[in-house]
Amino acid sequence: MHKVELKEVGLDIGLAFSKHFYKTEYLHYGYWPEELSVEPANVFQAQENYANFLLKNIPEGVNSILDVGCGSGKFAEKMLDAGYLVDCVSPSPNLTKHVRNRLGDRAEIFESCFEDVRTEKRYDLILCSESFQYLLLEKAIAQTMLFSNSEGFLLICDFFKRDVPGKSPVSGGHRIERFFKYMDEQPFNKLTDIDITKEAAPSLDIMRDLIQEVIAPTWNIVAYYMRSNYPRFSKIFSFAFRKKIAQAHRKYLSGGTSGEQFAHFKTYRLFLYQKKG
Ligand SMILES: C[S@@+](CC[C@H](N)C(=O)[O-])C[C@H]1O[C@@H](n2cnc3c(N)ncnc32)[C@H](O)[C@@H]1O
């Protein structure tokens, strides 16, 4: 049986929460312009803004797109509706079910990590919408080289680690300096570099409020119930899983991370690269 990783479970839970609370099935951050007030009712709009921003940055002349790490397939659907030919890469079996339900036979779905995809197909654009951070840098670029047409594009919209001292409470992201250095040595020209950290960061404030107001209190009530009704079991469970519980507390329940902290440690960028002819 496929061994499920914690980050995969996190994305599945994220999708259930987003669908229920925010009526959206995107798994990326929102794009919050100054005039959009940061509150749960506006998450839907912020994520639509992000999707529109991405769509706007697909260069003219592009016809076929490989959506790497397509989440629930919502953005792939948007691109199909806009007239593009789209295929998807989706390594998570649970998310892939959503993608198949949504897209049917409108797109081919490669159910594997991007690093392991094998196909003869070639694309005008390889898209990584908040999925680049999960990929092994060298392999992702090698696969992009292989699967893109000559003078094809690579569009990345994701966050990266800034080179600042201290430990970020938000994990994930390639180190930006290392990424730049690596890309400088690859046969790609950088065409676009847009910093959207300020517009993406409020998503963390929304997440922090959800943790403080819903997730942490729920967890605490369940833990209290278990301790008072099943003290022996609770003790054994807490001891056996002490490391995992401490990690979950630190990462998910400790009050959350603010947008300000995020912006200190991370930089959220849209990059468009073009393969040299
Ligand atoms: C944060 S979600 C972004 C989903 C979607 N692109 C969006 O913008 O809503 C990250 C996606 O990356 C996928 N992913 C994780 N590791 C991957 C890998 N090695 N290869 C391809 N996709 C991967 C996850 O399954 C998920 O679909």
Side-chain angles (χ1 to χ4, degrees):
M1 193 183 157
H2 163 81
K3 196 167 174 241
V4 186
E5 286 185 38
L6 194 59
K7 61 183 176 189
E8 206 178 305
V9 175
L11 288 170
D12 290 336
I13 296 173
L15 180 60
F17 264 87
S18 299
K19 261 171 101 167
H20 182 78
F21 288 108
Y22 308 128
K23 311 294 173 221
T24 161
E25 291 179 52
Y26 288 120
L27 281 174
H28 50 236
Y29 282 27
Y31 182 106
W32 302 83
E34 232 162 81
E35 63 277 11
L36 188 65
S37 62
V38 182
E39 53 184 297
N42 286 334
V43 170
F44 178 88
Q45 187 55 53
Q47 291 202 312
E48 282 298 324
N49 291 346
Y50 182 112
N52 292 333
F53 169 71
L54 261 190
L55 205 60
K56 207 176 68 191
N57 278 284
I58 296 176
E60 257 179 51
V62 165
N63 190 31
S64 56
I65 298 175
L66 181 63
D67 185 354
V68 176
C70 65
S72 69
K74 184 101 173 84
F75 189 66
E77 185 179 45
K78 194 174 175 84
M79 292 190 288
L80 284 162
D81 292 346
Y84 295 106
L85 297 171
V86 181
D87 285 341
C88 297
V89 180
S90 176
S92 150
N94 270 331
L95 287 177
T96 306
K97 273 189 224 152
H98 290 274
V99 185
R100 287 196 201 289
N101 285 341
R102 181 184 298 285
L103 303 182
D105 57 8
R106 296 179 78 193
E108 181 173 355
I109 300 160
F110 301 101
E111 194 178 334
S112 79
C113 287
F114 182 47
E115 295 88 329
D116 302 325
V117 170
R118 301 279 173 270
T119 179
E120 296 300 313
K121 286 187 168 180
R122 298 295 177 261
Y123 300 88
D124 298 331
L125 181 135
I126 309 293
L127 169 71
C128 296
S129 160
E130 221 173 277
S131 56
F132 195 72
Q133 57 181 283
Y134 297 93
L135 309 178
L136 298 168
L137 180 58
E138 290 80 358
K139 284 206 175 159
I141 300 305
Q143 292 287 73
T144 299
M145 284 296 295
L146 190 61
F147 299 139
S148 50
N149 287 321
S150 79
E151 300 191 24
F153 296 94
L154 168 64
L155 180 59
I156 300 171
C157 199
D158 207 339
F159 62 80
F160 293 77
K161 281 184 199 143
R162 295 179 60 222
D163 192 10
V164 290
K167 191 164 163 42
S168 168
V170 186
S171 58
H174 295 283
R175 282 177 41 227
I176 191 91
E177 294 307 333
R178 172 162 186 265
F179 170 73
F180 282 148
K181 191 163 176 292
Y182 188 74
M183 289 307 283
D184 281 349
E185 293 157 3
Q186 305 307 309
F188 283 94
N189 288 319
K190 186 162 69 180
L191 306 185
T192 311
D193 175 355
I194 308 176
D195 189 335
I196 60 162
T197 312
K198 196 163 131 280
E199 289 79 7
S203 300
L204 270 295
D205 294 328
I206 294 280
M207 217 118 76
R208 178 202 53 203
D209 293 350
L210 182 70
I211 289 172
Q212 285 181 356
E213 287 158 24
V214 181
I215 299 177
T218 307
W219 170 276
N220 290 338
I221 290 166
V222 171
Y224 172 66
Y225 172 82
M226 293 303 288
R227 272 197 313 275
S228 65
N229 286 281
Y230 307 100
R232 239 173 83 78
F233 171 80
S234 296
K235 253 193 182 157
I236 295 168
F237 181 86
S238 309
F239 183 74
F241 294 102
R242 60 193 181 285
K243 280 196 185 144
K244 283 274 171 216
I245 293 172
Q247 187 191 11
H249 263 279
R250 209 173 42 248
K251 274 181 131 171
Y252 305 112
L253 302 169
S254 63
T257 307
S258 66
E260 203 180 324
Q261 279 171 303
F262 173 81
H264 177 71
F265 287 104
K266 310 285 177 177
T267 172
Y268 205 122
R269 307 285 263 269
L270 179 138
F271 293 120
L272 179 67
Y273 285 91
Q274 183 170 29
K275 206 158 116 178
K276 289 179 183 163

